[in-house]
DNA sequence: TATCTGCTATTCATTCTTGAATGACCGGCG
DNA sequence: CGCCGGTCATTCAAGAATGAATAGCAGATA
């Protein structure tokens, strides 16, 4: 009978829940299948509410009780990962892992340069990037620092408003040569528009300034970086952040001034991390670098 | 060398941090002191950043790195406790532990009656009460349900606005007989006022309606229930929530209408718990009972 | 100064957990 | 139909973590 160490049992319970089988959880945790099985039994015994999983030959299906525990166990896992990052580097030295979440565009186009210079200044820094357009839960510590498009509501977070970045429609000059450029918003209907498959901050912002029908787009992507690549490749016309477009002289602005939407930029960090030197350094570096980046859009 | 189960090591690390010694942590966890010592060593080895504690003959002092990990480990602990509560009762049955946080006054004067009727309806319910005036962190799952005086800002929480409760000054009739009652706000200076030692929601609210000097009070308490008891015992004049005063005919209102401040009532629960039946039942029960309670103040 | 209490570090026998191997079961596929 | 890949359950030997006991140290107390 496995003893009273509930935290271990929670960890394997969560692994079984996410993997769906004892064997899978074992592979994930580096344990054997019998061990995982015993620990699940032990967890069930500890809680005393009967089975947490319904066993089948094709895996384990969670019971209602287990599902009720799930969010808490996920919180534990996030906190454990955060603790590992916090402990991986001394808080004195400027070394260790920093996990950053940002949108795909920012992570692919803006951050690499910034992080490179941060790392050249502080060799011990190691970065993890989590790129997605949904805003991850900073309070659950899925990331240490976030670059956001919306102001954070929670007050356990320290945040810095960087500024606004304008989005304009751009096309590659090769496209412009071949097809010409629209002269009015109505002209857009005859062109190859590149848009987004599902709701994104871009689309939300765009919908305010312009009545954009999803069916208008000749290419719909759920990947912002690929969409940007499509614009650069001359496929068609799509929205690009002005500072990013400014770096590529082959990109020409389409209908300048006719469509204008803006994105806010925020850098967000959990209050607890303020005193950890490397977190602070990265935070400050991001604030400075993004401020510079946003500024480049002004004259672009 | 203790193996790779980090979660266990985190748990004992946190215990050592809070207890300040290996022996103390051992007592807390039900482990022996050598075991705790070995696990701390193992944790230090895993993180690879040198010692997490500076050993001394009088205990272990956390190092900066350990302090950086602390908030994450506490989050883990809170989540573990929440998971235990979630798993302690099936989510189907109306049984299991529900942890509620509220102010001292609400917990001492209002909740007992409400919880009693809830429990008579559902025998399997077990309640934990955490009474304090600081608002605990619901996002860290220190409690399942909170009765609050302020609107929650986080959107991961479901909340229900109950209404306002008026605070008035009251005195026991025995006090009134002996000393008489003030006829004006200026008269208050000559009376025995019961107030609060440190800033509380009451004092904050009071400070807005009336210029109250802390030095005016003849009895300062950091315990709201004791303050209420002092009013009931005839020590002097103090603020009492109207619905609570209404239940005791021996309490007489002082300077009716002259001083009037109000408290908001909110019931708050984490989004994740919405579908757990017993949480939902307690939440609904609290909403209903508190609404009734607040209503009693209206005609009081 | 001597004593007492609390702490950490170390040792060693014990206990407990673990993993490899095996058997059994189910579903998909040739 | 029979085989294969996947799963869980069970057994048993090996290994690892554990606890009791001991020694040593520092500070408080008389």
């Amino acid at each position: 009978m496995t003893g009273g160490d509930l935290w271990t049992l929670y960890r394997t319970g969560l692994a079984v829940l996410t993997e769906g089988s004892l064997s899978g959880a074992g592979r994930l945790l580096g344990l054997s299948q019998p061990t995982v099985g015993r620990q699940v039994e032990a967890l069930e015994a500890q809680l005393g509410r009967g089975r947490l999983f319904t066993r089948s030959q094709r895996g384990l299906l969670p019971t209602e009780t287990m599902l009720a525990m799930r969010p808490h166990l996920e919180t534990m896992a996030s906190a454990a990962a955060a603790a590992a990052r916090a402990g991986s580097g001394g808080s004195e030295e400027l070394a260790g892992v920093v996990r950053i979440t940002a949108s795909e565009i920012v992570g692919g186009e803006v951050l690499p340069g910034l992080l490179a210079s941060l790392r050249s200044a502080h060799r011990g820094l190691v970065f993890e990037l989590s790129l997605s357009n949904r805003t991850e839960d900073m309070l659950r510590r899925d990331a240490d620092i976030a670059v956001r498009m919306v102001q954070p509501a929670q007050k356990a977070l320290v945040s810095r408003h960087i500024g606004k970045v304008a989005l304009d429609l751009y096309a590659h000059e090769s496209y412009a040569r071949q097809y010409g450029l629209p002269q009015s918003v109505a002209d857009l209907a005859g062109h190859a528009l590149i848009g987004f498959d599902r709701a994104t901050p871009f689309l939300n912002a765009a919908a305010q300034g312009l009545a954009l029908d999803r069916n208008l787009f000749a290419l719909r992507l759920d990947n912002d970086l690929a969409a940007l690549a499509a614009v650069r490749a001359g496929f068609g016309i799509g929205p690009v952040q002005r500072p990013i477009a400014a770096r590529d002289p082959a990109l020409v602005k389409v209908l300048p001034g006719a469509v204008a939407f803006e994105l806010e930029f925020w850098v967000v960090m959990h209050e607890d991390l303020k005193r950890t030197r490397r977190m602070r350094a990265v935070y400050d570096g991001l604030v400075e670098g993004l401020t510079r980046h946003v500024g480049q859009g002004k004259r672009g």
Side-chain angles (χ1 to χ4, degrees), chain A:
Chain A
M1 188 71 47
T2 299
D5 188 355
L6 268 181
W7 285 29
T8 296
L9 306 185
Y10 286 154
R11 190 187 57 147
T12 75
L14 178 59
V16 172
L17 185 54
T18 59
E19 289 294 308
S21 76
L22 297 183
S23 319
R27 282 190 295 271
L28 189 69
L29 298 174
L31 299 176
S32 69
Q33 169 259 322
T35 300
V36 175
R38 277 186 295 256
Q39 291 193 351
V40 169
E41 280 176 24
L43 182 58
E44 289 169 334
Q46 287 279 338
L47 296 179
R49 284 282 162 175
R51 309 255 82 128
L52 291 172
F53 297 92
T54 59
R55 272 77 164 171
S56 85
Q57 317 283 11
R58 211 163 59 267
L60 277 74
L61 219 76
T63 209
E64 281 297 318
T65 304
M66 191 65 203
L67 288 177
M69 298 178 66
R70 176 171 209 166
H72 308 290
L73 299 182
E74 286 172 342
T75 299
M76 279 189 83
S78 301
R85 291 196 297 275
S88 69
S91 57
E92 285 308 301
E93 316 117 47
L94 275 166
V97 181
V98 179
R99 185 177 175 85
I100 302 173
T101 176
S103 72
E104 294 176 351
I105 290 288
V106 169
E109 293 289 326
V110 184
L111 288 190
L114 295 185
L115 299 186
S117 58
L118 267 172
R119 190 172 148 80
S120 76
H122 311 294
R123 289 304 178 82
L125 285 179
V126 174
F127 298 105
E128 289 180 11
L129 276 184
S130 167
L131 302 183
S132 86
N133 286 328
R134 73 186 153 76
T135 60
E136 294 196 34
D137 192 347
M138 289 292 289
L139 288 157
R140 267 186 38 197
R141 321 291 173 89
D142 288 327
D144 297 316
I145 300 177
V147 180
R148 287 268 182 92
M149 305 309 191
V150 295
Q151 178 169 17
Q154 292 91 349
K155 69 169 194 250
L157 304 174
V158 293
S159 64
R160 178 74 144 276
H161 185 224
I162 302 299
K164 300 183 213 274
V165 161
L167 278 177
D168 278 299
L169 293 180
Y170 283 87
H172 195 268
E173 59 179 13
S174 66
Y175 178 90
R177 267 200 308 275
Q178 188 166 2
Y179 300 102
L181 292 180
Q183 299 307 316
S184 69
V185 172
D187 274 0
L188 279 174
H191 280 271
L193 295 186
I194 300 172
F196 304 103
D197 194 22
R198 40 185 176 68
T200 70
F202 298 109
L203 195 54
N204 292 339
Q208 295 172 359
L210 183 63
L212 284 180
D213 186 354
R214 281 179 80 250
N215 294 321
L216 222 67
F217 296 110
L219 175 61
R220 282 200 298 272
L221 295 162
D222 64 352
N223 184 315
D224 293 346
L225 286 172
L228 178 58
V231 173
R232 287 192 174 128
F235 179 93
I237 298 170
V240 181
Q241 295 181 28
R242 213 180 273 177
I244 294 175
R247 297 189 304 219
D248 186 345
L251 288 185
V252 295
K253 201 179 289 186
V254 175
L255 294 174
V259 291
F261 17 92
E262 289 180 326
L263 295 175
E264 299 284 346
F265 267 68
W266 297 80
V267 180
V268 187
M269 176 172 65
H270 199 283
E271 171 91 18
D272 294 334
L273 301 178
K274 215 164 46 180
R275 292 183 207 293
T276 304
R277 277 194 62 207
R278 73 175 183 285
M279 299 296 177
R280 187 71 205 206
V282 173
Y283 180 85
D284 292 341
L286 286 181
V287 167
E288 186 202 325
L290 285 174
T291 301
R292 196 158 6 96
H293 170 74
V294 167
Q296 285 171 354
K298 301 299 181 192
R299 53 180 187 271

